[in-house]
Amino acid sequence: FPGPFTDVVTTNLKLRNPSDRKVCFKVKTTAPRRYCVRPNSGIIDPGSSVIVSVMLQPFDYDPNEKSKHKFMVQTTYAPPNITDMEAVWKEAKPDELMDSKLRCVFEMPNENDKLNDIDASKSAPVLNASKQDGPMPKPHSVSLNDTETRKLVEECKRLQAEIMKLTDENRHLRDEGLRLRKVAHSDKSGSPTALALRDNGSNSLPSLLVVIAAIFIGFFLGKFIL
């Protein structure tokens, strides 16, 4: 049983029946007030196993006191059509009983384990304080999963394609504006002021779209990097 013994300490026993007959078992201890055993008796089918939990109750541990606590696992073949477990043990003959004895050992954690626990408890408040001072930079693998990363990459590619498309349209409209300006100069009946306004309106709209697209891709790239 590992210490410290300020709380309940549980140890499991695995009982296996290697025979081809059902076996009855019972767990006994020399200190019944100090232990809780569940189950403390039962039947194990042929080739099956049972886990028995032995729970040591809290107590004041004295390293100078030697442990004299012992357990005994007693077994016997189950009779056919068993109905009363108490009757089985009362009627069992000594040569039909089999037993295994176990001695309890108490182990306290060594000094190195204690120091490690103290260091861990001291480092915890420091980590909490750093979280309160400001958000720590998180690695990409923590902040985004694979699906979100893939979506952001695809969105960035789409926005880049949109910027290239808008840049081409902007270039085309700029060339068209230059052509119309030349026509306006050659056409004496045209209104230069109206043509100039039309040119400015045609050039400003694609430029505005390019700026908006650049803002969106900057936002997504910033989120992807964070």
Side-chain angles (χ1 to χ4, degrees):
F1 294 91
F5 304 100
T6 56
D7 200 354
V8 177
V9 181
T10 302
T11 297
N12 293 327
L13 298 177
K14 184 177 181 180
L15 307 181
R16 184 175 180 273
N17 179 12
S19 68
D20 55 356
R21 296 175 56 185
K22 290 185 178 182
V23 172
C24 297
F25 74 92
K26 177 186 288 188
V27 181
K28 297 181 178 180
T29 179
T30 57
R33 295 183 179 181
R34 300 283 291 274
Y35 299 91
C36 180
V37 182
R38 293 291 182 273
N40 59 0
S41 62
I43 300 175
I44 308 176
D45 293 329
S48 299
S49 301
V50 171
I51 300 297
V52 177
S53 297
V54 180
M55 291 161 278
L56 173 62
Q57 304 303 308
F59 71 101
D60 294 330
Y61 175 71
D62 185 1
N64 298 322
E65 180 183 356
K66 294 184 179 181
S67 173
K68 298 180 181 180
H69 299 172
K70 295 180 181 180
F71 278 83
M72 182 175 67
V73 180
Q74 202 170 40
T75 58
T76 184
Y77 286 116
N81 301 324
I82 180 173
T83 57
D84 188 358
M85 287 289 296
E86 292 297 330
V88 171
W89 297 108
K90 289 180 180 180
E91 298 173 2
K93 298 179 181 179
D95 57 350
E96 296 176 347
L97 298 176
M98 296 165 283
D99 58 69
S100 298
K101 295 180 181 180
L102 302 172
R103 184 175 63 86
C104 296
V105 177
F106 301 144
E107 294 182 354
M108 289 293 291
N110 56 38
E111 294 299 326
N112 292 332
D113 293 339
K114 291 181 179 179
L115 291 176
N116 292 335
D117 293 340
I118 293 174
D119 293 340
S121 63
K122 288 183 178 180
S123 62
V126 176
L127 293 175
N128 293 334
S130 63
K131 290 182 180 180
Q132 294 175 359
D133 294 339
M136 295 293 291
K138 296 181 180 179
H140 170 67
S141 60
V142 175
S143 59
L144 295 174
N145 55 33
D146 293 339
T147 303
E148 293 176 343
T149 302
R150 196 159 43 245
K151 288 181 180 180
L152 286 176
V153 172
E154 293 175 356
E155 185 67 18
C156 289
K157 291 181 179 180
R158 187 185 68 80
L159 290 175
Q160 288 176 350
E162 288 289 335
I163 288 179
M164 294 179 63
K165 181 179 177 182
L166 291 174
T167 302
D168 292 338
E169 292 180 358
N170 192 21
R171 188 181 300 109
H172 173 72
L173 291 174
R174 190 182 301 112
D175 295 340
E176 183 68 17
L178 291 175
R179 188 185 66 80
L180 293 176
R181 192 176 293 110
K182 291 179 181 179
V183 172
H185 284 296
S186 62
D187 189 1
K188 295 180 180 181
S189 62
S191 174
T193 304
L195 290 175
L197 291 174
R198 183 172 60 185
D199 292 341
N200 291 334
S202 300
N203 291 332
S204 62
L205 180 58
S207 300
L208 179 60
L209 293 177
V210 171
V211 171
I212 293 175
I215 291 174
F216 273 110
I217 192 171
F219 170 76
F220 280 101
L221 284 175
K223 183 177 179 181
F224 175 72
I225 294 173
L226 294 176

